[in-house]
Amino acid sequence: MDTVDVVPGTGVGPVRLGMSRAEVHATLGLPTQTLAPAPGEPPTEAWNEGALRVHYVADSVERIELHPGPALRALLDGRDVSTTRVTELVRHLYSTRAHYDPNDPELGYRFHFPQLGLTLRRVKLPEGPNDSEGQSFTSLTLGRPVSGR
């Protein structure tokens, strides 16, 4: 299993926002998958069994998407994104870095931190404190931070 550090505003592991496709390939090697884009979207390249995905605009890294699991472990401020409880990770980011968007229509399933360019997602809400499903995030996306609150 590979482990990568998520650095808001900068990148994920060796992949940096703004890198060219050639620089990403020089760093990670050729992608193991190229995912078909939605109409009007640039292609997405993937590594680590699809757990690390890089989205380009004009041949430059626009955003990095992670799906932590058996092939990839993601650390955010030293905390494992896929095993740290949602409440703990959100509380940490909120108190030390930035506020999430309280008006996000998917709040609860998704926590978007515009000032960090970071979105954390889970696919299910836990049904109670003893429900293990939904207690941690299943994916994250890192893009360019938005200035201001």
Side-chain angles (χ1 to χ4, degrees), residues 63-85:
R63 67 184 189 277
I64 305 162
E65 184 179 343
L66 294 176
H67 298 268
L72 187 69
R73 181 174 178 230
L75 301 179
L76 179 59
D77 290 347
R79 291 165 170 80
D80 188 321
V81 171
S82 64
T83 60
T84 302
R85 290 174 92 67

Side-chain angles (χ1 to χ4, degrees), residues 53-124:
R53 300 175 184 184
V54 177
H55 302 263
Y56 301 93
V57 170
D59 204 41
S60 175
V61 175
E62 180 69 16
R63 67 184 189 277
I64 305 162
E65 184 179 343
L66 294 176
H67 298 268
L72 187 69
R73 181 174 178 230
L75 301 179
L76 179 59
D77 290 347
R79 291 165 170 80
D80 188 321
V81 171
S82 64
T83 60
T84 302
R85 290 174 92 67
V86 166
T87 52
E88 179 185 332
L89 192 53
V90 168
R91 188 178 313 116
H92 164 73
L93 291 170
Y94 192 85
S95 66
T96 62
R97 288 184 169 259
H99 294 184
Y100 58 83
D101 177 1
N103 299 313
D104 187 329
E106 294 184 38
L107 189 61
Y109 291 96
R110 176 174 70 189
F111 289 84
H112 177 58
F113 294 83
Q115 291 174 307
L116 301 177
L118 177 69
T119 302
L120 298 155
R121 292 180 185 82
R122 60 180 164 184
V123 295
K124 182 181 186 290

Side-chain angles (χ1 to χ4, degrees), residues 9-25:
T10 302
V12 172
V15 181
R16 300 290 178 247
L17 295 167
M19 274 180 126
S20 70
R21 186 184 311 256
E23 290 173 316
V24 173
H25 291 178

